[in-house]
Amino acid sequence: MLRFLIARLGQAALVMLAVAAVSFLMFRFVGDPVAGMVREDASVQEKAELRQALGLDQPVLVQFGRFLGRTIRGDFGVSYRNQRPVAALIAERLPATLELVLMATLLSLALGIPLGVLCALKPDGVAARLVQAVSLIGISTPTFVTGIVLILTFAVTLGLLPSFGRGQTVQLGPWSTGFLTVSGLKALVLPSITLALYQLTLIMRLVRSELIDVLSSDYIRFARARGLSLRRIHFTLALRNALMPVITVTGLQIGSLIAFAIVTETVFQWPGMGLLFIQAVSFSDVPVMAAYLLFVGLLFVLINTVVDLLYAVVDPRLRVKAS
Amino acid sequence: MNRIVTLLAAVSAAALAANAGEAKTLRWSANTDIATLDPYAHTESFTTAMLHHVFDPLVRRGRTMQLEPALATGWKAIKPDTWRFELRRGVKFHNGNAFTADDVVASVTRLIDPATRAKGNLSAVIKAEKVDDFTVDLVTKGPYPLLLNDLAGIYIMDKEWMEANGALKAGNISTGATTAASTSAIGTGPFKLESYKPDAGTNMVVNADWWDKPEHNVTRIEFKPIKSDATRVAALLSGELELIAPAPLQDLARIGAASGFKVIEEPALRLIFLGLNHRPELLAMPGQKNPMLDLKVRQALWHAIDLDAIQKRVMRAKSRNTGTLVAPPVPGYAQANDALLGYDPEKAKKLLAEAGFPNGFKTGLACPNDRYINDEQTCVAIAAMWTRIGVQTELKTESRATYFPRIDKGEVDAFMLGWATLPPMDGFSVLSALLTEPKEAYGGSNRMGYVNARIEELTRLAAVELDEPKRRAMLVEALKIARDTVAYIPLHQQPVAWAARSGVEVPQFPDEYVRLWFAQVK
């Protein structure tokens, strides 16, 4: 087990190094930060001085070495645009994104599971067919379209919900939360629906196919033969087994929800990490972009490592193979 | 249902009326957020405009963009390289500290420090000296005619506050030092900063002790940046905002048609033009002589562009076509220089033939797609027009983040450029940055090989000419040469378009600054 653990952690470290290299190299080509940092009528000399101050006149390898050294020490540098430490910028934005992702996950589970059950139990019913058809739209509409349609409907036409921002937030130590105020909760509704939509359809379809699978297995047939109530068979015996893969997928999807929150955050001006990243891209703010990519990379690596370790705990065959 | 809504509206209107003369909140949005609260740690005109609500400069731009006294009440050049400023008495910073000469000296010293990001904004000044508590001398490198223009963008910070917060030097990216000034702001301006949350909102409340007589009735400003155009318009229409600046051109008709909202527009200072390759070879035709070196070819390219069509179709009749490189309010502008060359494809073809290219030639055209208003569409139109006279144009559009570095390296044949002459708002910036050879302080944005001996001479003369009419004459002459030699092909003047709820009166300025100390909210 220990060897398995060490091997997994070693792999994780290698992946992180690759992410660092890719993000660093990529940003060599997305643009020159100097052009966005100087005055419009800056002289050649001014630009050269700034380039030197940023260390951009050094060879790429030297720059990468410095970047790696700083990153390992936990120093993500200072944003080119607003000259604040990148770690502080990300910490400031993290709560907004995590709260949005949490709501979206809860929403997709709360709606996805019942709808999936409905489609599995009454596959020929009108409701199930309708849900199936609508879910196709949900899975194929781009996020920014969904967002704008929701804004036009609920903010402009009906005037019920705010069209942008987080509303009033309450500061709990370093964490700013929107859960404690009415305007904060209202502001969460549209963005979390937008972000949840894809996830919701995914979970619904997964529950549906898993449940149909389980329902045709032998132990369900025996339970029926025994004369147990349908309700007990469906919800206690079948659904529980059908949910195992759903839990795995939901866990893995949290990483991609955080990464895909970029579009939702841009449409709703949600002050999270995705918006920070988008702003950084348009200003070629390399330290912020690199730190964001490293963070998302780390998140994926962590989640996958934890899932792998859990598998090893659950499934003895994996442990045997490793030793 | 409708009746209930009307009734509710009437009740809330009555409630609002009862509060008249009290709280007037103005909530507004732009497409970007401020970079920082530290006035010397950035070079963005949007951030400068926002911070003007909290800070005052020594001299400022008034309603008609004229330079007028602010924290300085008077000034004169006591020597060709020394200006003496009389400071306003009785002014207090938002923390209650008195404004004195020490604050000016500390601010100027902080700004011109070699490690400060915005040091270029006052590059002519070498030191500030206190004469007495309300008199300051600024010493320049030599005679410098644009000192007041520069000072209009230099905000005065509180020395005591900077000392107490370790902010006497601005943040420095190479050492990673950041200061308290990036997240808090103490000025003498018409509004006090209440809170600043990046990308979420910046709130200000009125400064009841402002030294000037307020021309506004706003008691509170809530600024909320919204990057997405569609969301920004939706937020205005749903009543969550009073003002959006800028308003996207494609939505102006829709906003104007909605009841209770209005669109306000004015020509901006920013002119859009095409730069041309004046080097020995075109990148599109390596090994051959550059056709654009021939004046007739450059004239042909200009004659081939149907500016009226671009103005009507692409710019939705919101832009103004131009024949020169500076906008009318800018010193150096002359009506005579502004004449259009005229759309004449037949003449263009004839000129090409006379220059020895009857079958045209090949060129690239580079454009940004997220920097100027409808930049990409404008270039698509121009590429088609050039192709029509036989010049095969290969269009390449890209994001500003990669576009401007490419321009800086001169890796283009023809390219789009916008110029607003900001921050000095003077035609000299066109001469010094666009029309001169890249050397020392000059030619910072001229990578295309354009050199003209007379313009070089005029630029260096104008740089030290303190006699204003003479200086302007030099600018006009240089811009006439630029036009006659087709250094650039001028296209149009961009509009500033904002949208507001009816009852909100906000004057517009060609520099696109939002100045809410002139705003009236009903």
Side-chain angles (χ1 to χ4, degrees):
Chain A
M1 186 65 195
L2 193 66
R3 254 173 82 186
F4 177 76
L5 193 73
I6 290 170
R8 285 304 291 144
L9 290 181
Q11 282 170 20
L14 273 181
V15 170
M16 283 312 292
L17 193 67
V19 170
V22 166
S23 59
F24 181 81
L25 284 177
M26 204 165 82
F27 297 135
R28 308 289 314 155
F29 300 103
V30 295
D32 180 358
V34 171
M37 287 168 72
V38 292
R39 297 172 310 131
E40 193 169 75
D41 55 355
S43 65
V44 184
Q45 205 178 327
E46 249 178 284
K47 292 182 192 174
E49 277 171 21
L50 186 59
R51 187 161 281 124
Q52 206 176 353
L54 296 176
L56 293 173
D57 52 342
Q58 304 285 330
V60 176
L61 266 179
V62 174
Q63 288 189 48
F64 183 59
R66 285 184 184 172
F67 168 76
L68 218 55
R70 280 201 313 265
T71 308
I72 288 168
R73 286 200 310 269
D75 172 11
F76 293 100
V78 175
S79 154
Y80 286 168
R81 180 162 184 250
N82 44 34
Q83 307 203 2
R84 292 182 56 206
V86 175
L89 286 176
I90 290 194
E92 200 174 86
R93 306 305 187 87
L94 195 61
T97 300
L98 289 187
E99 289 191 354
L100 177 63
V101 167
L102 178 72
M103 276 308 284
T105 308
L106 289 180
L107 199 69
S108 56
L109 288 175
L111 287 175
I113 295 176
L115 288 176
V117 170
L118 177 82
C119 292
L121 295 185
K122 298 215 167 74
D124 297 324
V126 179
R129 281 168 184 244
L130 198 70
V131 168
Q132 291 266 51
V134 172
S135 81
L136 265 185
I137 300 175
I139 219 157
S140 53
T141 315
T143 312
F144 60 90
V145 175
T146 322
I148 289 299
V149 169
L150 287 177
I151 289 175
L152 289 180
T153 317
F154 291 96
V156 178
T157 311
L158 299 174
L160 291 175
L161 295 165
S163 53
F164 69 96
R166 273 188 95 186
Q168 285 275 328
T169 54
V170 177
Q171 201 72 31
L172 302 174
W175 190 275
S176 69
T177 179
F179 286 148
L180 298 178
T181 60
V182 177
S183 74
L185 288 172
K186 272 175 128 180
L188 257 172
V189 178
L190 296 184
S192 49
I193 292 177
T194 309
L195 186 59
L197 212 58
Y198 180 82
Q199 173 94 340
L200 193 160
T201 28
L202 186 76
I203 288 181
M204 190 204 98
R205 290 177 163 254
L206 193 64
V207 168
R208 176 182 164 272
S209 62
E210 286 294 325
L211 196 57
I212 287 177
D213 230 30
V214 173
L215 282 177
S216 62
S217 61
D218 287 345
Y219 78 95
I220 297 294
R221 231 173 278 154
F222 291 136
R224 278 200 189 169
R226 221 186 124 192
L228 293 181
S229 74
L230 272 183
R231 170 183 286 257
R232 177 131 184 253
I233 294 174
H234 289 160
F235 294 100
T236 317
L237 297 175
L239 186 59
R240 216 185 259 182
N241 275 317
L243 283 186
M244 289 308 288
V246 174
I247 292 167
T248 317
V249 167
T250 308
L252 288 177
Q253 281 280 316
I254 286 182
S256 36
L257 273 187
I258 291 177
F260 289 133
I262 289 181
V263 179
T264 310
E265 288 185 2
T266 312
V267 171
F268 288 96
Q269 191 65 28
W270 192 262
M273 288 187 303
L275 197 60
L276 179 72
F277 178 71
I278 286 288
Q279 305 277 33
V281 170
S282 49
F283 287 96
S284 296
D285 198 341
V286 177
V288 174
M289 291 192 282
Y292 175 83
L293 275 205
L294 278 176
F295 180 80
V296 170
L298 181 70
L299 210 69
F300 273 90
V301 168
L302 274 183
I303 292 174
N304 280 298
T305 309
V306 169
V307 168
D308 278 356
L309 291 178
L310 283 181
Y311 278 167
V313 173
V314 173
D315 189 342
R317 280 171 299 180
L318 279 172
R319 261 176 293 170
V320 173
K321 211 190 271 169
S323 57
Chain B
M1 182 65 198
N2 264 338
R3 233 179 249 172
I4 298 174
V5 172
T6 326
L7 194 68
L8 280 177
V11 170
S12 56
L16 278 178
N19 282 333
E22 288 162 25
K24 295 282 190 195
T25 301
L26 198 153
R27 299 163 300 171
W28 74 286
S29 177
N31 55 353
T32 178
D33 197 7
I34 51 176
T36 168
L37 290 176
D38 188 336
Y40 309 157
H42 71 96
T43 55
E44 295 174 17
S45 66
F46 179 77
T47 307
T48 308
M50 271 283 281
L51 293 182
H52 206 330
H53 293 84
V54 179
F55 294 98
D56 284 308
L58 290 176
V59 292
R60 67 179 180 192
R61 300 264 176 200
R63 268 202 190 251
T64 53
M65 300 295 294
Q66 82 284 11
L67 289 164
E68 61 177 32
L71 288 181
T73 50
W75 48 83
K76 61 172 188 287
I78 52 170
K79 273 189 272 175
D81 64 350
T82 307
W83 291 61
R84 177 155 293 176
F85 289 83
E86 295 298 325
L87 304 182
R88 194 174 293 278
R89 289 156 196 260
V91 176
K92 290 235 180 304
F93 282 96
H94 296 159
N95 56 5
N97 289 347
F99 160 74
T100 66
D102 290 325
D103 299 312
V104 177
V105 173
S107 296
V108 170
T109 310
R110 185 180 195 262
L111 173 62
I112 61 180
D113 187 277
T116 300
R117 172 81 66 84
K119 61 172 189 284
N121 287 347
L122 200 59
S123 54
V125 170
I126 46 177
K127 68 178 165 190
E129 284 173 334
K130 175 180 172 178
V131 178
D132 61 47
D133 271 357
F134 293 96
T135 313
V136 169
D137 282 351
L138 293 186
V139 182
T140 55
K141 274 176 196 157
Y144 182 60
L146 293 177
L147 183 63
L148 294 179
N149 299 49
D150 286 354
L151 286 176
I154 309 301
Y155 303 138
I156 303 304
M157 301 172 73
D158 179 17
K159 186 187 178 197
E160 285 85 359
W161 183 87
M162 290 192 284
E163 278 172 349
N165 290 281
L168 272 173
K169 286 199 171 209
N172 184 332
I173 15 171
S174 32
T175 59
T178 52
T179 74
S182 11
T183 47
S184 48
I186 298 291
T188 57
F191 293 90
K192 297 181 191 176
L193 181 83
E194 184 188 84
S195 64
Y196 164 52
K197 285 189 188 151
D199 284 340
T202 302
N203 297 340
M204 300 175 187
V205 289
V206 71
N207 174 15
D209 303 323
W210 193 34
W211 53 269
D212 200 6
K213 192 176 165 299
E215 290 181 47
H216 67 90
N217 69 348
V218 179
T219 53
R220 182 180 170 80
I221 297 171
E222 294 182 6
F223 169 70
K224 303 153 190 288
I226 303 180
K227 187 176 167 59
S228 150
D229 279 348
T231 312
R232 194 163 62 256
V233 173
L236 176 74
L237 296 179
S238 66
E240 291 163 81
L241 297 169
E242 269 78 39
L243 170 73
I244 58 174
L249 281 198
Q250 67 271 19
D251 290 318
L252 294 185
R254 188 161 72 98
I255 299 168
S259 77
F261 298 95
K262 62 180 174 187
V263 169
I264 33 184
E265 336 168 43
E266 180 168 311
L269 288 180
R270 190 168 298 279
L271 298 188
I272 306 297
F273 32 84
L274 294 182
L276 300 172
N277 186 341
H278 296 264
R279 289 181 307 245
E281 281 178 22
L282 279 185
L283 298 168
M285 295 163 49
Q288 294 173 56
K289 187 172 171 280
N290 178 359
M292 289 189 198
L293 286 177
D294 192 323
L295 176 64
K296 282 182 176 157
V297 172
R298 302 201 295 272
Q299 284 169 338
L301 291 174
W302 194 351
H303 274 304
I305 298 173
D306 186 353
L307 283 179
D308 285 331
I310 293 176
Q311 198 259 356
K312 280 200 197 79
R313 303 273 155 71
V314 180
M315 301 302 288
R316 296 170 209 243
K318 306 292 185 196
S319 63
R320 188 188 74 92
N321 292 339
T322 175
T324 186
L325 302 179
V326 291
V330 176
Y333 175 85
Q335 186 94 47
N337 282 344
D338 199 5
L340 301 175
L341 199 62
Y343 172 55
D344 192 342
E346 289 316 308
K347 191 169 176 195
K349 278 184 201 158
K350 223 174 87 198
L351 283 167
L352 276 184
E354 282 172 24
F357 300 94
N359 301 318
F361 56 92
K362 249 167 73 180
T363 181
L365 173 62
C367 289
N369 54 23
D370 54 2
R371 176 60 188 92
Y372 310 116
I373 298 174
N374 296 342
D375 39 16
E376 184 170 21
Q377 297 93 314
T378 306
C379 285
V380 170
I382 291 172
M385 290 163 186
W386 280 359
T387 306
R388 222 168 289 152
I389 61 159
V391 177
Q392 300 160 44
T393 311
E394 195 187 319
L395 178 64
K396 183 177 164 98
T397 63
E398 61 194 313
S399 161
R400 63 203 281 178
T402 49
Y403 177 75
F404 287 102
R406 190 183 308 284
I407 301 298
D408 252 12
K409 288 186 215 132
E411 288 171 358
V412 284
D413 286 334
F415 63 100
M416 180 180 258
L417 190 64
W419 206 257
T421 69
L422 293 174
M425 201 184 148
D426 190 276
F428 181 70
S429 95
V430 176
L431 273 59
S432 66
L434 295 179
L435 295 173
T436 36
E437 200 182 347
K439 245 194 246 164
E440 298 132 35
Y442 294 110
S445 295
N446 172 23
R447 291 308 179 118
M448 302 309 294
Y450 177 83
V451 185
N452 180 289
R454 179 64 183 152
I455 292 184
E456 298 286 329
E457 191 185 347
L458 283 168
T459 307
R460 280 159 181 85
L461 287 174
V464 294
E465 181 56 68
L466 293 176
D467 183 287
E468 187 58 15
K470 263 194 197 163
R471 195 183 69 89
R472 287 197 187 198
M474 293 173 184
L475 301 185
V476 171
E477 189 190 338
L479 289 169
K480 180 173 188 313
I481 298 172
R483 179 191 151 80
D484 292 344
T485 56
V486 196
Y488 293 84
I489 299 178
L491 300 175
H492 54 244
Q493 189 176 355
Q494 280 198 168
V496 198
W498 300 349
R501 173 166 74 67
S502 313
V504 174
E505 297 302 328
V506 189
Q508 268 179 323
F509 298 89
D511 59 3
E512 303 180 47
Y513 279 27
V514 176
R515 292 175 166 88
L516 296 179
W517 57 92
F518 292 122
Q520 291 288 333
V521 179
K522 273 194 212 102

